[in-house]
Amino acid sequence: MIPIIDRFIAKKHIERYLEEDLGWGDITTDLLVDLKVTAHAYIKTKESGVIAGLPVAETVYNALDPTIQFIPLVQDGSFIDTQTIIAEVKGPMNPVLKGERLCLNLLQRMSGIATYTRRLSDMIKPYKAELTDTRKTAPGLRYFDRYAVAVGGGINHRYNLADAVLIKDNHIKLAGGIKAALSKVQSSLSHTMKIEIEVEDLQQLQQAIECHADIILLDNMPLDMMRRAVEITDGRAILEASGNIDESNIADVAATGIDIISSGALTHSVNALDISMRIE
């Protein structure tokens, strides 16, 4: 299911991006393109992939000039062949050109994330595991990065540090161990929130199960240990695998019987999809 972009949130982000890119104004466009000049532009793919970000691109142009018509010709989540026109832009060319780079930057990045997410999601379809993102997103782009993951067929992890409890290795060391960390959090946390904890071996896993952790993150476990962890847990907690997981090993990880696979590769180093804009 394709999520819905909240236009209010999107606009707040986009206004900051436009402020960064426009500065005090587009000197070149203002000198060369009269405000009265109107034209018709096309946004076209230069390679195949999953499209994500069309509502965001539309919001860019609405923020610049509400008289600009942004007409999507495909839907987010569609797999599109190369040299396909995915949207038209009609209206005054001065603001159209001012928004071109931001529009394409967001479309390219989001479509790249959606394309890679779809590729990895397809690789684990034979298994029960679901693919999720991490907080390894570019600062200021998390809202759009996570949307792109969902468009590509993944699910979203916690949005930020206030969104959910995830007890990691440094927390465990400072708290005095698995049991101490879980006990302290459980005694203070609202009943409405689940607790996830990171473990590195089967001994820590057993402790987390005994302390009734809701979700247990298996950090960089080898496959044999991961299979054993699934057997030991036996459905008593949700198991998430994490740590250097990408297309080279994701199918093997999913085959262990794990519930969730989190991969920072979805967002931290993805290749942008090549998309361009041409004026008629």
Side-chain angles (χ1 to χ4, degrees), residues 202 205-206 218 221-234 239 256:
L202 297 181
L205 171 74
Q206 191 64 55
L218 311 181
M221 277 193 182
L223 292 173
D224 288 345
M225 188 183 293
M226 208 178 291
R227 292 188 194 95
R228 183 64 182 137
V230 171
E231 293 174 1
I232 291 170
T233 304
D234 193 27
L239 290 182
T256 65

Side-chain angles (χ1 to χ4, degrees), residues 14 17-18 21 60 98-107:
I14 285 164
Y17 304 156
L18 286 170
D21 202 35
V60 169
K98 288 176 178 176
E100 176 187 5
R101 186 69 271 153
L102 176 57
C103 169
L104 292 178
N105 282 350
L106 290 168
L107 275 176

Side-chain angles (χ1 to χ4, degrees), residues 1-5 50-55 75-79 110-111 113-115 117-118 121 144-156:
M1 182 176 177
I2 303 299
I4 297 173
I5 283 284
V50 178
I51 300 302
L54 290 170
Q75 292 184 330
D76 274 6
S78 303
F79 188 91
M110 294 174 72
S111 296
I113 290 171
T115 299
T117 303
R118 179 73 56 83
S121 294
F144 300 128
D145 284 359
R146 285 167 51 89
Y147 169 83
V149 167
V151 167
I155 59 174
N156 295 136

Side-chain angles (χ1 to χ4, degrees), residues 32-141:
L32 294 176
V33 184
D34 191 278
L35 290 172
K36 296 179 181 179
V37 174
T38 61
H40 194 165
Y42 297 92
I43 298 176
K44 180 191 287 189
T45 58
K46 298 176 75 174
E47 60 181 318
S48 59
V50 178
I51 300 302
L54 290 170
V56 180
E58 182 177 7
T59 305
V60 169
Y61 282 120
N62 285 340
L64 277 166
D65 187 335
T67 68
I68 295 172
Q69 291 180 273
F70 185 91
I71 307 165
L73 302 179
V74 300
Q75 292 184 330
D76 274 6
S78 303
F79 188 91
I80 302 300
D81 290 331
T82 185
Q83 302 301 317
T84 299
I85 296 173
I86 60 172
E88 298 178 23
V89 186
K90 298 179 180 179
M93 277 298 103
N94 184 293
V96 168
L97 290 176
K98 288 176 178 176
E100 176 187 5
R101 186 69 271 153
L102 176 57
C103 169
L104 292 178
N105 282 350
L106 290 168
L107 275 176
Q108 288 175 318
R109 178 179 174 84
M110 294 174 72
S111 296
I113 290 171
T115 299
Y116 190 58
T117 303
R118 179 73 56 83
R119 186 184 310 159
L120 267 59
S121 294
D122 286 346
M123 292 177 73
I124 63 173
K125 273 187 176 179
Y127 310 102
K128 72 172 185 176
E130 293 188 279
L131 177 63
T132 187
D133 49 28
T134 71
R135 284 172 42 245
K136 294 178 181 179
T137 54
L141 288 171

Side-chain angles (χ1 to χ4, degrees), residues 174-190:
L174 292 168
I178 295 277
K179 291 183 179 180
L182 282 169
S183 177
K184 188 168 185 178
V185 170
Q186 288 166 338
S187 66
S188 304
L189 196 68
S190 166

Side-chain angles (χ1 to χ4, degrees), residues 241-278:
S242 185
N244 299 309
I245 299 173
D246 56 26
E247 59 190 307
S248 68
N249 58 3
I250 192 168
D252 291 334
V253 173
T256 65
I258 210 79
D259 299 301
I260 305 291
I261 299 173
S262 56
S263 175
L266 297 179
T267 55
H268 69 54
S269 55
V270 72
N271 292 322
L273 199 71
D274 197 356
I275 300 173
S276 65
M277 179 185 289
R278 291 290 180 267

